[in-house]
Amino acid sequence: METNQKIISIPLEGVHSEHCALIVDDALDKTKGILTHKVELNNNQAKIEVDAKQFKLTELTQNIRDLGYDVTTIKKTFPITGMTCASCAVSVESILSFEEGVVSAAVNYANATAIVEYIPGIAKLENFKKAIQSIGYDIIIETSENQEDELAEHQAQQFATLKRKTIASALFTFPVFLIGMFFMNMPYANWIMWALSTPVLFWYGRSFFINAWKQTKHRTANMDTLVALSTGIAYLFSAFNTLNPEFWHNRGLHAHVYFEAATVVITFILLGKVLEERAKGNTASAIKKLIGLQPKTVTRLTQNNQQEEIKISEVLIGDLLLAKPGEKIAVDGSVFSGTSFVDESMISGEPIPVAKNQNDKVFAGTINQKGSFQYKAEKIGSDTLLSQIITMVQNAQGSKAPVQKLVDKIAGIFVPIVIGISILALIAWIVLGGENGFTQGLLAMVTVLVIACPCALGLATPTAIMVGVGKGAEKGILIKDAESLELAKKIDAVIFDKTGTLTEGKPSVIATLWKEENHHLHSILLSMESKSEHPLAEAVTKHYAGMHTKEVTEFESITGFGVKAKIDNQTYFAGNKRLLKENNIEIDAFFSEFIARQAELGHTLIYFSDQQKTLAVLAIADKIKETSIEAIKQLKALDIEVVMLTGDNESTAAAVAKTVGVTEYKASVLPEDKLTYVKVLQSEGKTVAMVGDGINDSAALAQANVSIAMGKGSDIAMDVAHMTIISSDLLKVPQAISLSKQTVKTIKQNLFWAFIYNLIGIPIAAGLLYPINGFLLNPMIAGAAMALSSVSVVSNSLWLKYRTSKL
């Protein structure tokens, strides 16, 4: 049965807090045709389920923009061919307007162009072409292979613009602050401050006023409202006093101006936005790199066995494709003919490439090694394993954080309360203040709005983060956001990936046993393995690197067994146990104990022999990092549950777990199994940290409450993770937890003092003490108190450097 329901993602701009997200959610709720909706703050997008017949993207976009937020769109001009009259333009415009993801379309018959505004990721340019061609016209599109690039570029431009605005605002604000605080009596001081303040408020800070007005029209309020009111009233009040100082002088009062308070507020809030954007990181880059694993083109074999290069989007199920040496596998499929080794570390996390023979499965994004083979496409597009991993990462990143920032939680209450108190203060003074009631009331109103400026609140978290992150960097720990810091102190379960995390991530020779130590035989083995393409051979050649090699004749690689070669007219074998058995070579009892011990440890064995007897046995494994055992010991001392998950086999997993001291582990797990296990622990009420290094860990890293990536791992793992251990030293994991405890403690102290400042300062500013002792807070003192509150918060954050010096 055909359904009109579908799920789409709308990229958002300007939604910086949970309060903003709630406002957008309310707009989504009122938009016709939307069935369900969720604003994903971390992903800067709204996920909505719509009834295609009733839903209008234009209406939704306008509703969001009316609130002072925005939907990320791209506007492009495309040439249209085949139009012969104005009605043709109407037809093209109509069909473009109904295309999915199109916000608006305007076709100009005179210059034969279409200006289309569309949402990247939803609108598909190839669909524009198909739709227009279906009615007899055509559109010339310079296709962008990846629309995510356009979105990332747009976001980068937005961030660059915000930084420029902040720097320019600071340059204008600094002289205003100096004059307002120290040189008030200089000639024309008020006029100079007025001139410098105007561009700060109404050019660099104009977005606060625009958004505040849009919020007001929809009967809502956010931090923009408070910023606009406090700075706007301070500015207007100061401008009035500059033009009409006699108004106050005639009433026995001094005509104070507060331009410095208004400009400092704007600059600090802009700085806070820059810090926030930087701390949140670029989610899109992780997804972009995952998508980048899939090649853009692939070689397809025709029925005539001819090769043709096609786009990945043109691959059909059943197509016969060619994997050349060094190429990425394009889609999921099975080997049709040929043999090779394929690096599947991005799927399994294991470093040793896997041998591929006829009918073996291959996966999109994995890398073919030295051989070549033909494979048949079985899963394409969104059905591939790589695409499923991408989806899992997106969904995990889009899920809501377990703990929301305190400032975001109370912003919706704080703003209207402050506004209400300022109005009440004005009314109370008018009613009870006597002759100068209005004058004192206006001063009290401005003082409340100035002293309640959210500077201290805005700086409380980012300054502590800056110091905490800086100290972490000194210790080799990169911390991405405040949310992970807030949660890290609560960690009671840590999941470790094995390969590249607990271990080095590269196979190497762990132990050797020779029947007799003989450099001549060492050279023979090195000579044979240097000819082999097998990944384990590389470990052997590296182990014996520097020795002389001999001339090899009649070299033969035996798939699934090993290699055979003739050196100095003598035949030698190097490979697995089956190779010796096939050639009737017995394994001397001399090696029995060594073989049993290495097998118990889960190591891979290579046998070296001549035609009569075994000459040596080599054990190859992924070395355990020197710090793994101590790190796990320290975590257990903190009463943290430690689990190891690996795609490796049971025997190897058991051996590594026993060595490092982990009692709970799971072997042969796929990326989705790791993700599921994280969810299971979370469902038990645990705060879970995931430590990994590979693409295969990215979904679990994104789902975990706190994700920690190894610096020597994949870029994607580091992009998804909240923390990155630069040196891959696991001792940094317990250090990171200790650092987070100290940093979160500082953040809480900052927020406490910021809120206490407001709770005490606002009533005093309103005139609460006047009936008791006749004290009235001067707005100038309020401005200084506001600045002092910010300085105290920053100073407390800087003190964190000394508290964490002994970590």
Side-chain angles (χ1 to χ4, degrees):
M1 183 178 176
E2 189 175 339
T3 177
N4 292 313
Q5 296 179 10
K6 59 183 177 181
I7 297 175
I8 57 177
S9 298
I10 307 293
L12 300 172
E13 292 178 14
V15 183
H16 300 297
S17 69
E18 185 63 25
H19 180 60
C20 295
L22 291 172
I23 294 172
V24 174
D25 253 326
D26 187 57
L28 295 174
D29 202 42
K30 295 174 181 176
T31 303
K32 187 177 180 181
I34 295 182
L35 305 175
T36 62
H37 52 84
K38 179 179 73 170
V39 174
E40 297 179 348
L41 196 58
N42 291 346
N43 276 351
N44 292 322
Q45 68 176 15
K47 224 165 214 182
I48 59 176
E49 183 182 12
V50 303
D51 182 337
K53 283 189 174 180
Q54 298 184 49
F55 173 71
K56 292 181 180 178
L57 186 59
T58 306
E59 179 186 351
L60 172 62
T61 304
Q62 191 59 49
N63 287 348
I64 292 174
R65 287 174 174 171
D66 284 347
L67 289 170
Y69 307 107
D70 205 355
V71 174
T72 301
T73 60
I74 292 173
K75 188 176 283 188
K76 277 191 173 183
T77 301
F78 302 101
I80 305 294
T81 62
M83 293 192 299
T84 57
C85 64
S87 63
C88 299
V90 173
S91 299
V92 173
E93 184 174 307
S94 176
I95 200 161
L96 278 174
S97 299
F98 282 97
E99 275 299 302
E100 185 176 23
V102 172
V103 176
S104 65
V107 177
N108 188 321
Y109 172 65
N111 59 14
T113 59
I115 300 174
V116 185
E117 183 182 12
Y118 61 93
I119 297 177
I122 300 178
K124 306 294 182 185
L125 300 187
E126 57 267 29
N127 290 347
F128 293 179
K129 195 173 187 70
K130 290 176 183 176
I132 293 174
Q133 286 176 340
S134 70
I135 58 172
Y137 311 107
D138 205 351
I139 182 171
I140 299 173
I141 296 172
E142 293 180 2
T143 56
S144 171
E145 291 293 336
N146 198 339
Q147 291 191 21
E148 284 77 9
D149 291 340
E150 295 177 348
L151 181 57
E153 183 181 349
H154 179 80
Q155 290 171 338
Q157 289 173 351
Q158 293 286 97
F159 183 66
T161 301
L162 178 60
K163 285 201 294 185
R164 286 195 298 269
K165 284 171 59 178
T166 304
I167 293 169
S169 178
L171 291 175
F172 278 91
T173 296
F174 186 65
V176 175
F177 177 77
L178 286 180
I179 295 171
M181 299 302 292
F182 306 108
F183 303 103
M184 277 298 296
N185 295 323
M186 66 179 283
Y188 304 106
N190 290 359
W191 293 92
I192 294 171
M193 288 192 291
W194 188 4
L196 292 173
S197 299
T198 301
V200 174
L201 267 74
F202 303 116
W203 182 251
Y204 303 117
R206 66 187 183 279
S207 61
F208 297 117
F209 295 91
I210 293 170
N211 292 339
W213 172 245
K214 290 180 177 180
Q215 296 287 330
T216 303
K217 286 195 299 182
H218 289 83
R219 298 178 182 178
T220 58
N222 62 6
M223 295 299 277
D224 288 335
T225 309
L226 188 55
V227 173
L229 274 174
S230 62
T231 59
I233 292 177
Y235 175 88
L236 292 174
F237 185 72
S238 301
F240 177 83
N241 289 356
T242 301
L243 293 169
N244 302 289
E246 296 81 8
F247 179 84
W248 301 106
H249 295 161
N250 295 337
R251 291 163 175 77
L253 299 169
H254 184 69
H256 287 291
V257 295
Y258 307 102
F259 290 119
E260 82 286 347
T263 54
V264 167
V265 167
I266 294 293
T267 301
F268 275 170
I269 298 303
L270 286 173
L271 177 62
K273 286 181 177 290
V274 170
L275 295 174
E276 183 181 352
E277 288 302 309
R278 181 172 290 171
K280 285 169 74 175
N282 193 345
T283 302
S285 67
I287 303 303
K288 180 180 176 182
K289 287 173 184 174
L290 278 172
I291 295 170
L293 288 172
Q294 192 175 58
K296 291 180 172 60
T297 61
V298 63
T299 303
R300 180 168 62 186
L301 298 173
T302 65
Q303 291 181 345
N304 301 326
N305 209 31
Q306 297 294 313
Q307 297 182 14
E308 62 175 356
E309 190 171 282
I310 62 171
K311 292 180 180 179
I312 197 71
S313 58
E314 296 175 7
V315 175
L316 302 174
I317 294 175
D319 280 352
L320 196 60
L321 309 174
L322 178 64
K324 298 176 183 178
E327 285 188 344
K328 294 175 182 176
I329 308 301
V331 297
D332 290 2
S334 57
V335 177
F336 183 74
S337 65
T339 61
S340 184
F341 288 89
V342 175
D343 179 0
E344 295 186 343
S345 58
M346 62 284 299
I347 301 295
S348 66
E350 299 313 309
I352 301 174
V354 180
K356 295 295 179 182
N357 300 295
Q358 190 172 9
N359 297 324
D360 285 346
K361 298 290 184 183
V362 291
F363 302 97
T366 57
I367 303 171
N368 184 29
Q369 300 291 284
K370 297 178 181 178
S372 65
F373 60 90
Q374 299 173 8
Y375 62 105
K376 189 171 289 187
E378 294 178 346
K379 290 182 179 179
I380 61 176
S382 60
D383 293 328
T384 65
L385 184 59
L386 176 61
S387 294
Q388 290 170 6
I389 292 174
I390 292 170
T391 301
M392 284 189 288
V393 172
Q394 288 174 323
N395 289 339
Q397 287 184 327
S399 59
K400 282 197 174 183
V403 178
Q404 299 294 345
K405 296 175 187 176
L406 185 57
V407 175
D408 289 338
K409 285 181 177 179
I410 66 137
I413 301 173
F414 180 77
V415 175
I417 285 179
V418 169
I419 295 171
I421 290 173
S422 68
I423 295 171
L424 284 174
L426 174 62
I427 295 172
W429 276 101
I430 291 172
V431 174
L432 306 172
E435 285 186 15
N436 290 327
F438 175 77
T439 304
Q440 300 288 8
L442 188 61
L443 284 170
M445 182 180 185
V446 172
T447 306
V448 167
L449 290 169
V450 169
I451 204 169
C453 168
C455 287
L457 293 173
L459 289 169
T461 299
T463 53
I465 293 169
M466 287 177 69
V467 176
V469 167
K471 180 56 68 173
E474 288 178 21
K475 302 291 184 181
I477 305 164
L478 295 182
I479 303 167
K480 190 172 286 185
D481 55 35
E483 185 181 325
S484 58
L485 286 174
E486 189 176 6
L487 288 171
K489 67 183 181 62
K490 299 180 181 179
I491 291 172
D492 47 24
V494 176
I495 299 173
F496 284 100
D497 170 53
K498 178 183 77 66
T499 305
T501 304
L502 291 172
T503 66
E504 295 290 350
K506 294 180 179 179
S508 57
V509 175
I510 299 294
T512 63
L513 182 62
W514 290 80
K515 184 74 173 179
E516 58 178 276
E517 289 292 339
N518 185 317
H519 288 292
H520 172 70
L521 292 175
H522 293 176
S523 295
I524 290 173
L525 176 60
L526 174 62
S527 303
M528 292 176 66
E529 294 290 34
S530 63
K531 294 285 185 182
S532 173
E533 295 180 355
H534 197 285
L536 295 180
E538 186 178 345
V540 177
T541 56
K542 187 177 180 181
H543 186 72
Y544 290 107
M547 298 192 70
H548 293 292
T549 57
K550 297 178 176 292
E551 184 180 352
V552 179
T553 58
E554 299 181 20
F555 178 83
E556 181 184 355
S557 179
I558 307 168
T559 304
F561 291 87
V563 295
K564 174 184 177 182
K566 184 172 281 189
I567 300 175
D568 296 336
N569 294 318
Q570 174 72 37
T571 301
Y572 295 92
F573 300 91
N576 56 28
K577 194 173 184 179
R578 291 166 60 197
L579 178 64
L580 272 60
K581 187 176 181 182
E582 286 288 322
N583 289 277
N584 299 314
I585 301 168
E586 293 188 6
I587 300 173
D588 197 303
F590 171 78
F591 297 100
S592 298
E593 185 180 341
F594 178 82
I595 292 170
R597 184 169 67 254
Q598 299 301 324
E600 183 182 348
L601 292 172
H603 297 163
T604 302
L605 297 175
I606 289 182
Y607 297 82
F608 174 52
S609 73
D610 56 23
Q611 287 181 299
Q612 289 82 35
K613 60 185 181 299
T614 305
L615 302 173
V617 179
L618 291 78
I620 295 181
D622 189 5
K623 280 186 180 179
I624 293 172
K625 291 178 183 176
E626 294 180 2
T627 56
S628 295
I629 297 171
E630 179 60 27
I632 289 172
K633 184 179 177 181
Q634 289 184 18
L635 289 171
K636 286 186 173 180
L638 296 171
D639 291 326
I640 294 174
E641 179 185 349
V642 180
V643 183
M644 183 187 80
L645 301 181
T646 177
D648 213 337
N649 60 69
E650 174 67 29
S651 60
T652 302
V656 171
K658 183 178 179 181
T659 304
V660 299
V662 174
T663 55
E664 189 175 347
Y665 69 91
K666 287 187 179 294
S668 302
V669 295
L670 293 173
E672 57 264 35
D673 299 325
K674 293 182 180 181
L675 175 65
T676 301
Y677 196 83
V678 172
K679 289 181 177 179
V680 168
L681 290 180
Q682 288 174 331
S683 68
E684 295 172 0
K686 294 180 178 176
T687 303
V688 180
M690 174 71 196
V691 186
D693 74 317
I695 295 166
N696 63 303
D697 302 318
S698 55
L701 284 166
Q703 176 64 33
N705 301 98
V706 179
S707 47
I708 304 172
M710 297 292 101
K712 294 180 181 178
S714 73
D715 289 341
I716 293 162
M718 288 185 278
D719 280 339
V720 171
H722 299 115
M723 299 182 185
T724 298
I725 308 300
I726 300 172
S727 64
S728 294
D729 178 358
L730 288 185
L731 284 174
K732 301 296 181 183
V733 175
Q735 282 185 19
I737 294 173
S738 298
L739 176 62
S740 75
K741 288 180 179 179
Q742 292 286 349
T743 308
V744 170
K745 183 179 179 181
T746 300
I747 291 172
K748 287 185 175 180
Q749 288 172 348
N750 287 349
L751 290 173
F752 173 79
W753 288 113
F755 281 115
I756 285 295
Y757 157 81
N758 279 293
L759 289 173
I760 295 175
I762 290 172
I764 292 175
L768 187 66
L769 295 180
Y770 185 77
I772 301 171
N773 57 14
F775 178 78
L776 281 175
L777 184 63
N778 190 299
M780 188 67 182
I781 304 299
M786 178 274 296
L788 182 62
S789 70
S790 300
V791 171
S792 65
V793 165
V794 174
S795 299
N796 190 49
S797 295
L798 291 173
W799 182 243
L800 176 64
K801 284 186 178 181
Y802 301 97
R803 294 202 298 268
T804 56
S805 58
K806 294 183 180 180
L807 280 179

